[in-house]
Each structure stands twice: as structure tokens, then as C-alpha cells.
Amino acid sequence: MKRILTSETPSQKGNKVKISGWVETRRDHGKIVFFDLRDREGIVQTVFSSGEPAAYEAAQAVKSEWVVEIEGMVQERPEKLKNPNLATGAIEISATKLTVLGEAKTLPIPIDTDGYEIGEEARLKYRYLDLRRKRLHQNIKARNEVIHFIREFLRKKDFIEIETPIITKSTPEGARDYVIPSRLYPGKFYALPQSPQQYKQLLQIAGFERYFQIARCFRDEDPRADRQPEFTQLDLEMSFVEQEDVMALTEELLIDLVKTLYPKKEIQEIPFPRLTYQEAMAKYETDRPDIRKDQKNPDLLAFCWVVDFPFFEKSEQGGWTFTHNPFSAPKPEYMQNLMEQKNIGTILTTQYDIVLNGLEVGGGSIRNHTSEALEKVFEIMGYKKERIQENFGHMLQAFSYGAPPHGGIAPGLDRLISLLQGEPTIREVIAFPKTGDSRDLMMNSPSELAENQLRELHLRVQKEK
Ligand code: ASP
């Protein structure tokens, strides 16, 4: 017999079926034993009675979270025992055969609650169990829906999805890089990408015009409560566009996504209001303003754009550094100042940030697409010619072979999905997150390397005193 899902059982009234899954609960009423059997679709009640002695006997030994296969008849429940809150609540399976597929020890954490009450250490150590709880199953499935929607949306708009390397080179995005020691080249290191920024720009020079990727980004930043060392962005880049085009596309995507997948949510204002950096700072004292008119309404989504950021700010060493993205172009009216390195503090960038309910959910910009302008940015930041060549020579060179004007954006999917799901942290919508201080408690990582691995990598660990 072929296995069917619990969700299919109501349509099989009067038929014999085979189902399999986990025993969510087990209630022993003496002559009758009930299991709620859970599979990826939901649960269904199964009944073992002494009328079927073999199955009934087998059911005695089974405990919750064991994995079993059950054969039985789908029967209508007596009227007063129907459960209208359950999709399969009008029927039950009268079991004729039970096979144990996998036994389970008592679980170290409860999984029949929403889980917020359980310490994070225990939840993350046993994440594969934590994920069994309904709330997390729903979050991970919702994440899949969001990503699927985005892919479809962008495909229809002629974007193509292109994978870019994970083993790459150090990139300046304002954070520290995760590095990988090279075995073949002693003393040399790869880095994990802080974002696919350079590759996506190079794909514009390669003529693809419309790129996107559900991209993993890696940043070795100091621990903060709701930060992850790796996170996922919807990374996109387009050629022959201006600020308005990228903003309009992003806005259409977000509105469509909310209306399709979260119809109960209310977007406070369409088109999304725009604030300049100055306005945001003057009115809200932050460049991530929470403009919600009703902060108690859990269904309210108040998107806004923040634009006109200063391009540069003073660094701790007293020089200039970029505020957002060194690859951004200045607003056209400031190009001359950039090229002449004049009034640097007043130069505004084409950067646009998208903010949702007071949290940044993405940012992007129009890029400099001439090597002269890009070089100026690094000169203003005090990079010597050789360092510019060494770090960005490939970009400058690429720009010299016919670069289209281009720009893009990268909404952060973890934050966006956690807000849409009404979750307090991004960890609730990531299957295997790390702790706030960057540890993987399940895999026990980071961990030490064996002496021979270190040797192969030409590394020696210096014990801190
Ligand atoms: N690479 C940028 C970031 O990671 C996004 C962009 O400008 O497209 O924030």
C-alpha cells in the first residue's frame, strides 16, 4: 500500500490507508489507545482497540515522538467527538497494523509549546527538535513561500538568477571578513563575501543587465542580539537604470509580496513615503525611523525610504570613510565635488535604504561606473594608488571595457521574513541559526583543528596568555 499524508485522510472515508509520521501525543484509555500522528502536513487521530489485538499490543510500547507506520480504516467520528479546529477532525483512523520505524528517547525540550519559554541554548543545541514545533515549521515554510514568490516575480521581470563565489577575496563593506587559509598557497587567504557586490557589478559589465540571487553574506562583526554571522539577502542589480527605477521595482515587489502572501497585513502608506537622511534625523533622531501610526497593531507594516545620505563621514583616524557603500555613485549634482575632492562632507550619495517598522530591511544605490569616479572614492578615503590597484584593480579594469550605468539593492530576507511572521528575532525564521555570540551549539562550532590540519594549512595557533 502507498503511504498517504494525514491531510489526505478525510477524503478517504471508508477506505483502508497507510500513514506514517511521529506520535505527537498518546492517550491510553485502557481498552483503547489514541495516537495523534503527525507528518509534514499536520496530524490525524488514530485509534487502537482490543478488537485488533496485534496493533493494540504493539501500540502499548510506543511513546511520544516515536516514528511509526500505521495501516487502518478511515472512519467518521461520532458527531460529538468531531473536532472542528482540526483539518482532519471529522475522521479518525481505526488502526489494524502498527510498525515502529524509529524509537525516540524522551525529548530534552518540549516541542508542543510555542517554545519562547525555553532557553535559547537548549533550543539551538537541539535545533532539529526545536524545528519540529508547529510555529517553527510554519516559519520555515513561510520563508520558502517568500523566496519562491520573489523568484517568480523577478523571473517575470526578466531577471536571471546567477550564483557568485563564496570562496572569494576580502571586500570592503564596513565589516570584518571571515577568512579561509589556503592550503595550496602558504600564507594566503580567501575571504567569504560580505555581499556579492563586486560580482553583481561585474555581471552588469558582462551584459546580463538584470541579475538577482538569494545570496548568503558573511560578516565577522561584534556580537549583537539580533545579528547573525551569516545572513541572506535578496541581492539584485540592474543596468541602464536610475535611482527611481530600482526603488520602484523594490516597492512593487514588496507590495505584491505582502498582498499575495500576507493579505491580512496592512501597508500604512503606498507609495512608500520618502525621507531624506536630514529629515529622518531631525524628526526621529535616527535614520531608521519607525513611522507606524499605531505601534500596537501587529498587522501594520510601515515601510519608508531614507535617501540623501552623506557619502562620507570622518573616520576615527580623522580621515574620510564611506557611510554605506564605497561603490555607490554620488548624486549627479555632487559628481564634480567628488572628482575635484571638494566639500567632501557635503557630498550626498545615491544610497537608498528601506526601513520597515523602524528596522532597516535593505539598502542599495546607483554605482559609479567609471574607473575615474570609483578611484576618486578610494583616494578620498586615503588609499594609496598601489592599494587601490591591489584591492580594486580588477574593478577599475573592468570599468574600462564598456560599463553600463547600473545600480541595485539588497533587501535582507531574514529580517523581512521575521517581521512578516511577527517574530521577535531573525533566529526564529532561520533553520539553523547561531547564537547571538556566533556559536553553533548543535555542531559545536567554532572548534579546534587537528594538528595535521593546521600543518597542512600552514597555520600555528598562538595560545593567548
Ligand atoms: N551590497 C550592499 C549591501 O550588502 C547592497 C547593495 O548596495 O546592493 O548592503
Side-chain angles (χ1 to χ4, degrees):
M1 206 188 309
K2 201 164 155 265
R3 175 204 181 204
I4 65 165
L5 293 170
T6 55
S7 54
E8 298 170 292
T9 54
S11 65
Q12 294 295 323
K13 244 181 275 170
N15 293 339
K16 192 161 186 210
V17 297
K18 180 158 99 184
I19 53 176
S20 25
W22 289 258
V23 177
E24 176 148 309
T25 53
R26 178 185 186 285
R27 297 181 298 282
D28 198 334
H29 289 210
K31 290 206 181 82
I32 305 183
V33 178
F34 291 99
F35 289 178
D36 280 339
L37 190 84
R38 181 183 76 240
D39 64 12
R40 67 175 190 267
E41 288 287 335
I43 61 173
V44 68
Q45 176 165 288
T46 58
V47 198
F48 297 84
S49 64
S50 44
E52 288 285 347
Y56 176 77
E57 282 307 314
Q60 299 300 321
V62 173
K63 300 199 175 67
S64 63
E65 295 305 311
W66 283 32
V67 183
V68 297
E69 180 184 277
I70 295 170
E71 287 179 23
M73 292 292 291
V74 182
Q75 289 176 344
E76 181 135 17
R77 292 196 208 180
E79 213 49 50
K80 58 182 191 321
L81 295 180
K82 286 189 178 168
N83 178 355
N85 299 322
L86 193 66
T88 59
I91 55 107
E92 60 190 9
I93 316 288
S94 175
T96 52
K97 190 174 171 202
L98 170 73
T99 313
V100 173
L101 302 177
E103 296 186 8
K105 293 198 281 194
T106 304
L107 268 41
I109 50 170
I111 60 163
D112 56 353
T113 62
D114 62 25
Y116 295 120
E117 77 290 355
I118 307 168
E120 177 118 75
E121 298 258 326
R123 287 187 58 200
L124 293 186
K125 175 154 189 220
Y126 298 102
R127 186 59 161 183
Y128 47 89
L129 299 179
D130 193 41
L131 283 168
R132 279 189 196 168
R133 79 182 68 254
K134 193 166 176 197
R135 178 173 64 89
L136 288 202
H137 246 253
Q138 282 168 347
N139 285 348
I140 300 301
K141 286 180 174 173
R143 185 183 179 109
N144 170 61
E145 292 301 322
V146 168
I147 290 175
H148 185 73
F149 181 92
I150 290 171
R151 286 206 160 101
E152 288 292 300
F153 179 97
L154 291 174
R155 232 180 115 79
K156 281 191 217 129
K157 301 250 183 227
D158 259 3
F159 280 80
I160 67 167
E161 188 168 5
I162 307 177
E163 291 159 273
T164 55
I166 296 296
I167 299 178
T168 173
K169 186 180 159 114
S170 188
T171 51
E173 303 254 0
R176 244 175 253 114
D177 293 307
Y178 277 100
V179 295
I180 313 173
S182 162
R183 178 177 61 84
L184 296 177
Y185 301 93
K188 297 205 170 167
F189 294 82
Y190 302 96
L192 304 182
Q194 293 188 37
S195 89
Q197 181 70 36
Q198 296 185 49
Y199 288 110
K200 71 173 171 175
Q201 290 192 244
L202 293 167
L203 287 169
Q204 304 312 301
I205 294 168
F208 287 102
E209 294 192 28
R210 292 185 158 213
Y211 141 96
F212 83 99
Q213 178 176 199
I214 306 296
R216 199 66 63 82
C217 303
F218 307 86
R219 297 185 190 177
D220 186 4
E221 291 178 287
D222 288 332
R224 217 196 266 166
D226 204 19
R227 205 182 245 169
Q228 287 284 310
E230 56 181 301
F231 57 93
T232 307
Q233 289 182 339
L234 159 60
D235 191 47
L236 66 87
E237 195 76 7
M238 312 160 75
S239 290
F240 307 106
V241 289
E242 292 173 1
Q243 200 170 354
E244 287 302 321
D245 303 302
V246 186
M247 291 170 80
L249 175 100
T250 309
E251 209 164 309
E252 188 188 334
L253 167 61
L254 289 170
I255 294 168
D256 243 32
L257 187 151
V258 170
K259 289 198 166 158
T260 309
L261 298 181
Y262 294 88
K264 285 206 196 104
K265 299 266 178 206
E266 182 195 333
I267 298 178
Q268 181 167 290
E269 202 179 328
I270 296 174
F272 301 166
R274 294 182 186 189
L275 291 95
T276 65
Y277 171 74
Q278 288 231 317
E279 284 165 353
M281 293 308 284
K283 198 161 164 201
Y284 299 95
E285 290 174 11
T286 170
D287 55 3
R288 294 158 195 189
D290 187 351
I291 62 163
R292 273 178 295 176
K293 295 201 174 105
D294 175 7
Q295 303 223 353
K296 291 203 191 76
N297 177 357
D299 287 326
L300 190 61
L301 299 175
F303 288 99
C304 67
W305 290 103
V306 182
V307 295
D308 290 358
F309 292 91
F311 199 132
F312 300 98
E313 65 187 2
K314 282 281 176 193
S315 68
E316 276 164 24
Q317 296 78 25
W320 292 106
T321 183
F322 59 92
T323 62
H324 284 78
N325 189 336
F327 295 100
S328 298
K331 294 188 78 180
E333 58 271 35
Y334 294 94
M335 186 54 99
Q336 199 175 344
N337 274 344
L338 180 89
M339 296 312 288
E340 292 170 7
Q341 303 197 31
K342 278 203 316 226
N343 307 323
I344 291 166
T346 67
I347 299 175
L348 299 183
T349 152
T350 51
Q351 177 81 23
Y352 29 81
D353 273 4
I354 188 148
V355 177
L356 170 55
N357 295 0
L359 295 164
E360 190 196 322
V361 291
S365 63
I366 300 302
R367 325 299 182 184
N368 273 325
H369 72 285
T370 67
S371 42
E372 294 76 20
L374 179 60
E375 219 169 344
K376 273 292 174 245
V377 172
F378 292 112
E379 275 174 30
I380 287 173
M381 297 194 298
Y383 285 43
K384 297 267 167 338
K385 280 255 183 274
E386 305 78 68
R387 177 160 172 218
I388 298 177
Q389 270 311 320
E390 185 176 326
N391 291 350
F392 307 107
H394 57 286
M395 294 297 281
L396 300 172
Q397 194 170 39
F399 284 174
S400 73
Y401 295 120
H406 60 281
I409 192 165
L413 291 181
D414 308 303
R415 170 95 355 98
L416 179 66
I417 296 167
S418 68
L419 287 167
L420 291 171
Q421 288 294 107
E423 289 291 4
T425 79
I426 60 174
R427 295 191 290 284
E428 304 293 346
V429 300
I430 298 172
F432 295 104
K434 296 191 176 48
T435 58
D437 56 2
S438 299
R439 286 173 303 143
D440 182 334
L441 298 176
M442 188 182 65
M443 306 285 274
N444 191 19
S445 167
S447 56
E448 288 170 0
L449 291 186
E451 204 39 61
N452 63 334
Q453 279 176 302
L454 286 173
R455 210 174 312 119
E456 269 181 355
L457 293 169
H458 324 282
L459 294 178
R460 193 173 307 131
V461 177
Q462 198 147 25
K463 293 267 182 280
E464 286 195 30
K465 297 208 184 85

